[in-house]
């Protein structure tokens, strides 16, 4: 009987409550500080807003949800004297109008939040010239509350620096997601248009809360069938659901759709029947969805059809579609991610070579959408040389939020750090200080049409993104699309405080963890400018040995070029010459190994194994050191996370703990397999700080992940 | 300013709280009746149980969760005197042992719950001879509490009537699910074994709560790779997670695995190398998972490899695998769902023809797994003629919980009604009253190894099953596997009370709705014994016109045989003769149209259009009437549901409302398209109660659902 104990129950509801991540950064967690609760209740005692509009209703619903959560079911006092006014500028009481006059000169959807006085009472006013601006202001206000800020001195004026702030879903109509690591697509096409899931609304709320104002629903490797009437009904249902949140829907346009669903013999953009087909299709779409955003197109890239199939140019193709949507204020986003099927030119050069001659030739409603780097969303790439090289063309930034090359769903990598690095890079297009951010936000060359796209990491996982910390990348993308000058640090602090707790004992160490996390991934995957050495096809795990594929530039050996002399891709004038696509300031600095920043060393140079880096150690030593640093950084993340246990729910604590253990294993896998592989070429001893590898190189090379996520499913 | 109103907040936390369905029937909703709360608190003031075991810990966790939810965070009183004892029989206080002595004579995992007296105090005792029995007893006890039952007179003794109570997951390793309509597979293979998701635990809790004690993790159309070591590590992780809940894992065995992953030249079951490979594989599996359940095999069926490939029989194949797992108490479940590639025999006859000669030839640890009907999980089928025809062989029932043929995820169809109909059917195998249930539970022919399998409807949807009411089918399957004599009505009442509210104002009308729902589906899809007239491939929606496929018995026209004379499949001696596979009592009754039950009319007979049914109306009239009845029944469901709004959360109310509207549209689609199609043959006027069809037959025949769920994904 010794083992049979009598237990007394102690109920801790909150401990048992599931914190499953569904609420994202809109937790609206109960505030425990009684003084703060009192202050917040007083300031939010009574709100004045217009709920005759769809967006007004949405704002009221959000306030209810937020105050309910944060202020714990408290009934606000009734009074005819509002304490919180959420009103369009034109509807403000006369005495306040002047204080908010600046709104008239700010970009669309700007808002101002101001603690002020009205009829001698203290009030908070949120105002904008647009409904959507009011919603953005409300979310900004709630963000301050979630961060437990003092509201009594509040004064925030903010406006989006970029006009089109879009998610790109690489979601297929069968609900699989290319490079998706968080389950099935949230778009349940089969049950649309009749079933509007709660998830669609919460998706719109989350996006609106960070200023995202558009979403491309389907994959750039597109199915034409989404343009058929039955699917357009479904798209319309989503557009209707998203509209109150200021979110427009966009679709990808498969260039050959006139053939596949239109019954035409050609998709030649200069053919009148083809042009007419697209014009009629656009008309049909806009009949269903008057505020349809437009088309995103991947053409003549990786097997997708395009104008080149008919001897026409990207300009011909883009302008044809642009004409079709122009009458309705639609836009075309034409991707610059192309590389030739024939030319054996360095892939890093091809988009530039192809697109620079087109500068100034696109119609006004065309954005050329350019990936952050010239290869393909690697853990680190120099900024894409097109930024700064097409002054007459609005260039839209394409970031990848889903972690195709940064560990899928199992690695914690805070991507705003990567995004920030690209945005703050100097193109020198108009002299020093001509940052990529200024190209993208249009300020450098005075562009009105501006955009930023993020390839979504969202699926139907309970917490949306699989990894709890992958939510931060969605959040961070949205914030940077609104304001590309925001720092990764600010974003980390905001997200942590809202998602978990504003307690500085948590936010401070975790901000460091987040800010360091992406460099850890670079270190244990592709340090010193290495790139594209991952496993084939699914891109999960190391694969520096990958060779002999259909194309040379799909292999790893093509990119690292390791041999007995050294390692790295010579892109200077003695090599592919890709460096010459950058401004002279960059070219001059990077053309010599000595003056090339260490993080881009092997991107631009083939460097001897014995070459001494700044620290006096050889390249081989430094390569090993970086791999080891990466592993140790993950170990440090694990230690930090263990200390965070008191601040987070048990469920997210355990899940993150387990994921970090996977990340550590995979970091070691990268280190061990890459170093063993490269050692064959360097012929050097492994530095002593590198522990013995668990397996042989043969074993690592034999690993196959037949059912890896994010690729075309296999049933066999 | 008129439209700008001043609002006073009223906070209703519960209204805003998401009732997203994740908790299934384990809602543990707060009890509002103060008297009941008081009683429950007193009776559960203090519990005595052994938490040194994994299952004991699980019981304690469940009690915490349940009391927290139902009794609202109340701290139970401390005392050395337990009010609730959850103890194995051997550990009961001496004075109680006699009262629970019957447990020793009951099947494994039986439990008894008894309100009794101990040391002159009122106590509740839950006892069993096994740990798992204690868990089942605890869940049964919590079920009573969730139904707000008086506990003071509680006396429940219950034991499982069937030994192997299994879910069959048709989940592929790429996380798609064959015939799955609720998202991706919950098995996140890529992150196993390191990430144990909260969903795995909640899956195990839900299954244990209804007595399910095994799960086949992967598709019967199997990948051999799950038998490789890396996947076995993942399977082991799941087995470890499920073990405390009394749930064993099973795998499907691809018959050709010795070739595909073993490097052998053959998979011939009489080949010594092949036998040795399976013996070693079994040994390897049991090293990882000592309580591994065994193998499920689909062999020589629909393209799957099997012993016939080598001129061997199903007995040869099954017994080889049975020998491999026999040393470890493993079992083999060998599916009888076979139909020949060559023989043009009525498919309804083939499993019987193939398997009856094998009766008594299988090893003792083989179960032959038989679908409920001879075709394939149709909305209604007569029971499979194998039941009762293999007295020397234990037959395992296979039901399909996922609604492959009953509307996918969008139709509300309460399947326990279907299951009950099959289980209560009389085989006459040992005279009248020899029900299918008695065959399956072994009582008819004294079998010890018994089993029931349900093809899972679970996916990674937030509410597990997509349709909120599909949860009831998972629940009902489990309850019937435990006790095949349970009525569909009891199951409906239990599930409704636990999932929503025990309020009779809700439970009563909703029980009627559930009990009627499956017949509605039969009526608007396949009334009067029609079957297999659905769309090709994905099986969603009507397709009576389907013909000219790879095999005749994949078409619809093969099954309905409509012509100018009549409609239906003659399976009497003048037709395929399949009727002769049933007992003489059935054959004699069904051989004549007049004495054939109306619901099986066109299953067994080709009936003239003008044939008069019992109601004096023609077959054509009755066919139309049934289709219309089905539609009207859905309309009635919608009306009932509207009245239920006060009793359920807003989210589930709205979702179900929208799904019912889809169901109504699709019921009309079935009615209109099938009647238009059959009218071509009957050449009769549409009865006046049939409204004019929305579209032409040509239109209905042209509908293609290229991206329907549940089939092999297409990325194009």
């Amino acid at each position: 009987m010794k083992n049979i104990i009598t237990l007394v129950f102690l109920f801790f509801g909150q401990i048992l409550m599931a914190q499953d991540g569904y609420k994202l950064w809109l937790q609206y967690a109960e505030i425990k500080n009684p003084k703060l609760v009192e202050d917040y209740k007083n300031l939010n005692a009574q709100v004045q807003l217009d709920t005759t509009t769809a967006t007004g209703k949405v704002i009221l619903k959000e306030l209810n949800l937020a105050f309910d959560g944060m202020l714990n079911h408290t009934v606000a006092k009734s009074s005819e004297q509002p304490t919180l006014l959420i009103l369009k500028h034109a509807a403000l009481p006369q005495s306040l109008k002047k204080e908010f006059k600046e709104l008239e000169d700010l970009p669309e959807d700007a808002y101002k939040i101001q603690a002020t006085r009205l009829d001698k009472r203290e009030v908070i006013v949120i105002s904008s010239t647009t409904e959507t601006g009011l919603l953005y202001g409300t979310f900004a206000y709630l963000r301050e509350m979630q961060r437990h800020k003092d509201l009594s001195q509040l004064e925030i004026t903010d406006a989006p620096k970029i006009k089109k702030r879009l998610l790109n879903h690489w979601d297929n109509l069968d609900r699989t997601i290319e490079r998706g690591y968080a389950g099935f697509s949230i778009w349940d096409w089969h049950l649309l248009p009749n079933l509007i899931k709660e998830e669609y609304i919460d998706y719109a709320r989350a996006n609106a809360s960070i200023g995202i104002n558009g979403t491309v629903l389907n994959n750039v490797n597109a199915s034409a069938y989404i343009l058929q009437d039955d699917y357009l009904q479904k798209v319309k249902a989503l557009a209707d659901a998203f509209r109150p949140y200021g979110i427009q829907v966009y679709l990808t346009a498969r260039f050959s759709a006139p053939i596949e669903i239109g019954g035409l013999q050609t998709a030649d953009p200069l053919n009148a029947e083809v042009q007419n087909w697209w014009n009629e299709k656009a008309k049909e779409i806009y009949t269903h969805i008057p505020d349809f955003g437009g088309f995103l197109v991947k053409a003549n890239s990786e097997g997708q059809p395009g104008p080149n199939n008919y001897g026409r140019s990207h300009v011909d193709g883009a302008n044809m579609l642009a004409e079709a949507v122009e009458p309705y204020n639609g836009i075309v986003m034409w991707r610059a991610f192309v590389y030739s099927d024939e030319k054996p030119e360095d892939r890093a050069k091809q988009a530039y070579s192809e697109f620079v001659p087109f500068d100034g030739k696109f119609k006004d409603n065309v954005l050329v959408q350019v990936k952050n780097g010239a290869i393909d969303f690697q853990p680190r790439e120099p900024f894409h040389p097109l930024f700064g090289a097409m002054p007459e063309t609005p260039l839209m930034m394409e970031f990848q939020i889903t972690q195709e090359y940064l560990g899928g769903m199992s690695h914690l990598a805070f991507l705003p750090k990567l995004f920030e690095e690209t945005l703050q890079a100097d193109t020198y297009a108009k002299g020093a200080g001509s940052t990529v951010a200024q190209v993208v936000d249009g300020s450098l060359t005075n562009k009105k049409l501006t955009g930023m796209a993020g390839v979504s990491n969202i699926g139907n996982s309970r917490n949306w993104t699989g990894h709890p910390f992958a939510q931060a990348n969605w959040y961070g993308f949205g914030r940077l699309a609104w304001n590309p000058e925001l720092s990764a640090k600010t974003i980390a602090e905001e997200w942590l405080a809202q998602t978990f707790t504003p307690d500085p004992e948590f936010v401070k160490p975790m901000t460091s963890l987040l800010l360091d996390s992406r460099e850890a991934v670079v270190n244990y995957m592709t340090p010193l400018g290495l790139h594209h050495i991952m496993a084939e096809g699914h891109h999960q795990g190391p694969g520096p040995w990958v060779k002999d594929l259909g194309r040379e530039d799909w292999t790893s050996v093509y990119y690292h070029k390791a041999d007995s002399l050294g390692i790295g891709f010579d892109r200077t004038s003695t090599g592919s010459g890709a460096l010459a696509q950058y401004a002279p300031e960059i070219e001059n600095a990077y053309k010599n190994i000595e003056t090339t920043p260490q993080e881009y060393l092997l991107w631009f140079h083939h460097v001897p194994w014995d070459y001494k880096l700044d620290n006096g150690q050889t390249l081989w030593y430094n390569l090993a050191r970086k791999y080891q640093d990466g592993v140790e950084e993950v170990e440090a993340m694990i230690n930090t996370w263990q200390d965070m246990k008191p601040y987070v729910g048990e469920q997210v604590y355990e899940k993150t703990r387990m994921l970090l253990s996977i990340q550590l294993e995979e970091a070691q896998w990268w280190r061990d397999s890459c170093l063993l592989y490269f050692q064959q070429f360097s012929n050097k001893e492994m530095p002593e700080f590198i522990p013995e590898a668990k397996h042989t190189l043969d074993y690592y090379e034999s690993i196959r992940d037949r059912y890896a996520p994010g690729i075309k499913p296999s049933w066999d």
Side-chain angles (χ1 to χ4, degrees), chain A residues 190 290 334 427:
Chain A
H190 190 72
W334 194 269
T427 68

Side-chain angles (χ1 to χ4, degrees), chain A residues 535-559:
Chain A
E536 186 225 331
H538 54 69
H539 300 168
Q540 303 304 302
W545 44 80
V546 171
K547 57 182 178 183
D548 299 332
L549 298 181
R551 300 172 56 114
E552 201 186 4
D553 60 358
W554 285 349
T555 69
S556 297
V557 296
Y558 171 81
Y559 290 101

Side-chain angles (χ1 to χ4, degrees), chain A residues 663-705:
Chain A
Q663 186 170 2
L664 179 59
E665 272 190 16
E666 298 197 356
Q668 292 164 341
W669 173 31
W670 273 92
R671 176 197 61 197
D672 295 342
S673 62
C674 288
L675 288 177
L676 283 175
Y677 173 80
F678 291 130
Q679 192 182 30
Q680 301 178 110
F681 302 97
S682 78
N683 268 312
K684 296 193 179 298
E685 295 258 313
M686 207 65 82
E688 61 187 10
F689 54 78
I690 298 292
E692 197 179 352
K694 274 190 209 143
H695 302 281
T696 63
L697 180 58
D698 279 350
Y699 171 82
Y700 291 122
E701 293 196 20
S702 76
I703 293 174
R704 292 287 174 278
D705 192 353

Side-chain angles (χ1 to χ4, degrees), chain A residues 25 94 102 136 149 162 224 232 252 258 330 367 384 440 456 576 618:
Chain A
W25 48 87
Q94 207 55 43
E102 64 190 293
Y136 292 152
K149 298 286 187 186
I162 290 175
L232 291 179
T252 59
L367 280 154
H384 201 299
V440 175
S456 157
S576 79
T618 64

Side-chain angles (χ1 to χ4, degrees), chain A residues 28 89 118 121 194 227 241 276 349 372 508 542-543 593 695:
Chain A
Y28 301 136
H89 186 242
L118 175 66
R121 292 175 300 106
N194 287 320
L227 299 176
N276 184 57
K349 289 175 70 177
N372 60 290
K508 209 168 159 232
I593 296 185
H695 302 281

Side-chain angles (χ1 to χ4, degrees), chain A residues 102-113:
Chain A
E102 64 190 293
L103 285 169
E104 290 174 356
D105 304 319
L106 288 172
E108 204 181 2
D109 298 339
Y111 60 82
K112 180 172 179 179
I113 310 173

Side-chain angles (χ1 to χ4, degrees), chain A residues 38-327:
Chain A
E38 188 62 24
D39 288 352
Y40 279 12
K41 278 187 194 168
N42 290 338
L43 284 166
N44 295 302
Q46 209 175 306
V47 67
Q48 187 180 359
L49 82 166
D50 177 4
T51 57
T52 61
T53 67
T55 299
K57 289 187 181 73
V58 153
I59 291 172
L60 177 62
K61 193 178 142 198
E62 198 66 32
L63 291 175
N64 263 303
L65 196 64
F67 295 166
D68 181 43
M70 289 190 277
L71 307 176
N72 205 7
H73 296 236
T74 308
V75 180
K77 282 172 196 131
S78 168
S79 151
E80 292 300 313
Q81 301 181 318
T83 57
L84 173 64
L85 295 87
I86 304 179
L87 298 173
K88 283 171 82 167
H89 186 242
L92 284 175
Q94 207 55 43
S95 63
L96 289 173
K97 271 198 175 135
K98 207 169 64 186
E99 212 172 340
F100 288 80
K101 197 165 164 33
E102 64 190 293
L103 285 169
E104 290 174 356
D105 304 319
L106 288 172
E108 204 181 2
D109 298 339
Y111 60 82
K112 180 172 179 179
I113 310 173
Q114 176 83 51
T116 182
R117 299 186 76 81
L118 175 66
D119 304 337
K120 297 179 186 162
R121 292 175 300 106
E122 287 191 9
V123 295
I124 291 173
V125 180
I126 303 173
S127 189
S128 172
T129 60
T130 68
E131 289 284 325
T132 306
L134 291 180
L135 181 63
Y136 292 152
T138 301
F139 275 118
Y141 177 66
L142 295 174
R143 182 157 62 227
E144 296 300 300
M145 284 180 70
Q146 285 212 85
R147 298 180 72 191
H148 299 186
K149 298 286 187 186
D150 177 10
L151 305 179
S152 65
Q153 308 299 320
L154 211 56
E155 182 172 351
I156 301 174
T157 304
D158 204 0
K161 286 199 192 314
I162 290 175
K163 200 158 175 178
K164 304 290 181 180
R165 307 177 295 275
L166 266 60
L167 288 182
N168 285 186
H169 287 268
W170 287 359
D171 293 19
N172 300 305
L173 297 184
D174 62 16
R175 294 191 69 186
T176 57
I177 305 176
E178 188 162 348
R179 312 306 176 185
Y181 308 103
F184 244 17
S185 170
I186 56 169
W187 315 133
D188 196 346
W189 293 112
H190 190 72
L191 295 179
L192 282 167
N194 287 320
L195 180 66
I196 301 300
K197 291 188 169 179
E198 195 68 15
E199 287 94 318
Y200 302 153
I201 306 300
D202 291 323
Y203 166 88
R205 286 177 52 229
N207 279 322
S209 77
I210 50 177
I212 287 173
N213 67 357
T215 178
V216 185
L217 298 171
N218 61 324
N219 194 352
V220 288
N221 291 323
S223 163
Y225 297 94
I226 197 150
L227 299 176
Q228 287 202 143
D229 181 62
D230 51 346
Y231 274 91
L232 291 179
Q233 301 285 350
K234 299 168 191 279
V235 173
K236 168 188 161 45
L238 290 175
D240 291 344
F242 297 161
R243 189 170 295 111
Y245 296 89
I247 293 166
Q248 288 178 282
V249 301
Y250 297 74
L251 295 175
T252 59
R254 187 166 166 90
F255 203 78
S256 51
I259 301 170
E260 286 154 351
I261 63 167
L264 302 188
Q265 298 297 311
T266 178
D268 181 347
L270 300 193
N271 176 294
E273 272 191 304
V274 172
Q275 293 168 352
N276 184 57
W277 188 87
W278 282 109
N279 292 341
E280 288 300 312
K281 183 52 72 179
K283 189 172 163 191
E284 182 191 350
I285 293 173
Y286 281 95
T287 307
H288 292 305
I289 310 163
D291 58 351
F292 178 71
F295 293 126
L296 169 64
V297 188
K298 174 177 179 177
N300 293 120
S301 171
E302 300 183 320
Q304 291 297 304
N308 295 173
N309 300 31
Y310 306 95
R312 315 298 183 189
S313 73
H314 287 286
V315 172
D316 295 329
N319 286 351
M320 171 191 65
L321 289 172
E323 263 179 48
V325 296
E326 194 177 28

Side-chain angles (χ1 to χ4, degrees), chain A residues 509 513 516 629-643 660 664:
Chain A
L513 184 152
D516 294 343
D629 286 350
V631 171
E632 289 174 10
E633 280 150 8
V634 178
E635 287 166 347
M637 284 160 70
I638 290 174
N639 288 334
T640 300
W641 185 245
Q642 280 167 353
D643 296 339
L660 285 170
L664 179 59

